[in-house]
Amino acid sequence: MTAPGSNDPQHIVFVTGRLARPRLEKIAAGLPAHLRWSIADAGVKVAALMTEEIIKRRVEVPDGATRIVLPGRCRANPEALSAHFGLPVERGPDEIVDLPAWLGLAGRQLDLSQYDVRIFSEIVDASKMTPEEILAKGLSLAAKGADVIDLGGLPDTPFPHLEASVRALKGAGLKVSVDSFSRDELSRGARAGADFLLSLNEDTLDLAFETEAVPVLVPTRPDDLASLDRAIERMIAAGKPFLADAILEPIHHGLVDSVARYRDTRARWPDIEMMMGTGNLTELTEADSLGVTALLMGMCSELAIRNVLIVQVSNHTRRTVEEHDAARRVMYAARADAALPKGYGRALLALHDKRPFVQSPEEIAQAAAEVRDPNYRIAVAEDGIHVYNRDIHRVGTDAMAFFPDLDVRSDGAHAFYLGAELAKAETAWRLGKRYVQDEPLDWGCAADAVEEDATAFKKAGHTKHSGPDAPPPGTRDARARQADAALPEADAAPPETVEDGEVRARTEPDAGQPGERIVCGRLVPSDGA
């Protein structure tokens, strides 16, 4: 895609199905002038059910087209279609309302691949674990986003296998730090090959000159910044690398003052490498840790603190590595754009979504009016949960209250399926999250996303054979979906191209006569759609 303002013309062909076409036309009509577009109706009702063969057979690409965009849930293989059409083919966003942002029209391209904060993830009870257990834990933390595995020593607890643990982690290619109040343990860890030593103050700083391990300097007391300054001056004079940590304290035990100390340290030492230990806030505050982490990583971004020490002991911080990893990427991207950390994806949104409702009640009602089969569809809008098929359209906010209106009393498997989906829809409506039938809710980085092959249909669901006559509607039966999608349908109009000015004219209020609407960029009588 050429950048906005480029002199190179671009012409995007949006492939869609009949039900989604009106909404796509509305969104496309508002695209800026540098974009030319066409809509290719593949002739199937539901765009997600299009196959490669259907698209190859039915979609006509106009002359001058430069790019083809498929619906996000379409399971066709973009590479195969690109070879067929001789044009770049991409899978767009799942929801049509996200199309402008996906096209980069929100002022930025979303790139969360970069970051500049190093995550030290502490194994707090390493002295109670075997080297094998420590290695397994370290590899798990690294897979989640940790850059350095920190071995935490416990007071008055022997750590005889410290050297073996350091060597095991280093042998697996991991960076290692040792965190202990024992000078002996720190020295042993360094001799075994540890990369960093936490936490040295001016009284124990001599150890930094006995090893190649990089020390993390701390004040002798949290409020004694002068002692930290003296340790920093000594390391700079010796020309040795180090990190400095002003010590973050918990709420009601000096939090605000400790944040100020980080600011003051950065002001006095603008070029040094710093660390912040976030556990005193995430662990010792019984609040959802994702928001706390995002705020702390925002502070680190402002103060150029490029190292964080994190810890996971409490159950409510079980995703702390993933949360810090997501937050460092968002903050890096926002800082690079000189922007607020808004509009950089949904990784930091677990409970609520910025745009939870992708359809209005009126749009759902219009879709329901076009349904001609008994399959139940479920959607969520601001006014509640919508359940509809050719016979009914009900709206409510209590999942269980729908049961009397659904003809599933003799179909236990189908009733089970609908109950599960409606409960999920109620959760989404109450929290303000996006709901998509047959798809898991998106919890951001607070839960692992379900990985699946975007070019293959879903496997058949457990309720595939429920009911006396046919597979239940709404299940994930790939073969049934493919068969349904392959049925010939009328009105599969070829794509047409309309200049932006013409589109704007046709979408202005009072444009056209009653009974007319835009189809593939052209104003046509309603009965011709």
Side-chain angles (χ1 to χ4, degrees), residues 183-199:
R183 180 186 176 96
D184 177 64
E185 286 184 350
L186 291 172
S187 179
R188 289 167 50 206
R191 289 196 301 269
D195 301 280
F196 301 89
L197 296 180
L198 287 68
S199 302

Side-chain angles (χ1 to χ4, degrees), residues 40-312:
D41 184 340
V44 298
K45 287 184 178 180
V46 182
L49 303 185
M50 293 186 297
T51 65
E52 290 172 28
E53 290 305 316
I54 286 177
I55 295 173
K56 290 177 181 178
R57 187 170 64 252
R58 299 182 182 178
V59 168
E60 297 181 18
V61 177
D63 293 339
T66 58
R67 182 184 182 192
I68 299 172
V69 176
L70 305 176
R73 296 191 180 92
C74 174
R75 307 315 250 189
N77 187 331
E79 293 183 1
L81 292 174
S82 180
H84 173 79
F85 289 109
L87 293 172
V89 178
E90 303 167 74
R91 184 176 285 106
D94 287 350
E95 302 296 344
I96 294 173
V97 294
D98 296 327
L99 188 59
W102 183 85
L103 289 169
L105 303 176
R108 64 176 70 98
Q109 292 283 354
L110 185 61
D111 179 9
L112 299 180
S113 64
Q114 301 183 66
Y115 55 87
D116 62 354
V117 174
R118 181 166 44 195
I119 295 175
F120 290 65
S121 185
E122 182 177 359
I123 302 177
V124 295
D125 51 355
S127 59
K128 296 182 178 180
M129 301 168 64
T130 67
E132 293 75 20
E133 291 171 334
I134 290 172
L135 176 59
K137 181 69 172 178
L139 291 172
S140 174
L141 293 172
K144 295 174 181 178
D147 303 293
V148 181
I149 306 305
D150 182 61
L151 298 180
L154 297 173
D156 303 321
T157 302
F159 200 163
H161 52 289
L162 172 60
E163 290 89 345
S165 301
V166 171
R167 287 192 290 267
L169 293 168
K170 293 291 293 181
L174 301 177
K175 295 286 186 180
V176 182
S177 62
V178 175
D179 189 357
S180 176
F181 291 110
S182 167
R183 180 186 176 96
D184 177 64
E185 286 184 350
L186 291 172
S187 179
R188 289 167 50 206
R191 289 196 301 269
D195 301 280
F196 301 89
L197 296 180
L198 287 68
S199 302
L200 303 184
N201 57 40
E202 65 173 342
D203 295 332
T204 58
L205 193 56
D206 287 345
L207 184 60
F209 296 88
E210 300 172 8
T211 174
E212 295 302 315
V214 177
V216 178
L217 310 181
V218 298
T220 54
R221 298 188 317 273
D223 61 349
D224 186 4
L225 274 188
S227 67
L228 179 60
D229 287 338
R230 289 190 293 270
I232 291 172
E233 289 170 348
R234 186 176 174 189
M235 294 300 294
I236 291 177
K240 294 181 67 68
F242 65 93
L243 311 178
D245 187 347
I247 307 297
L248 187 72
E249 295 191 277
I251 294 172
H252 297 151
H253 288 77
L255 170 64
V256 174
D257 287 341
S258 67
V259 171
R261 288 196 292 269
Y262 281 100
R263 179 202 59 197
D264 294 344
T265 300
R266 174 53 75 204
R268 287 197 300 276
W269 305 99
D271 300 321
I272 67 171
E273 288 295 325
M274 294 182 64
M275 170 182 278
M276 177 184 285
T278 60
N280 275 347
L281 210 58
T282 57
E283 285 285 323
L284 303 181
T285 307
E286 289 192 357
D288 290 328
S289 59
L290 180 53
V292 176
T293 297
L295 179 60
L296 290 174
M297 294 302 287
M299 292 181 183
C300 289
S301 183
E302 282 199 3
L303 295 173
I305 298 174
R306 290 186 283 268
N307 302 271
V308 291
L309 173 64
I310 68 175
V311 60
Q312 190 275 303

Side-chain angles (χ1 to χ4, degrees), residues 8 100 166 214 248 260 342 351-352 443 464:
D8 297 328
V166 171
V214 177
L248 187 72
K342 293 170 63 69
L351 290 182
H352 315 293
W443 300 104
K464 173 183 175 183

Side-chain angles (χ1 to χ4, degrees), residues 292-338:
V292 176
T293 297
L295 179 60
L296 290 174
M297 294 302 287
M299 292 181 183
C300 289
S301 183
E302 282 199 3
L303 295 173
I305 298 174
R306 290 186 283 268
N307 302 271
V308 291
L309 173 64
I310 68 175
V311 60
Q312 190 275 303
V313 177
S314 303
N315 285 329
H316 79 282
T317 62
R318 68 186 67 193
R319 299 282 296 187
T320 190
V321 178
E322 294 90 340
E323 291 169 3
H324 281 79
D325 180 48
R328 65 178 172 177
R329 297 169 187 270
V330 169
M331 298 305 167
Y332 181 93
R335 188 179 70 243
D337 292 337

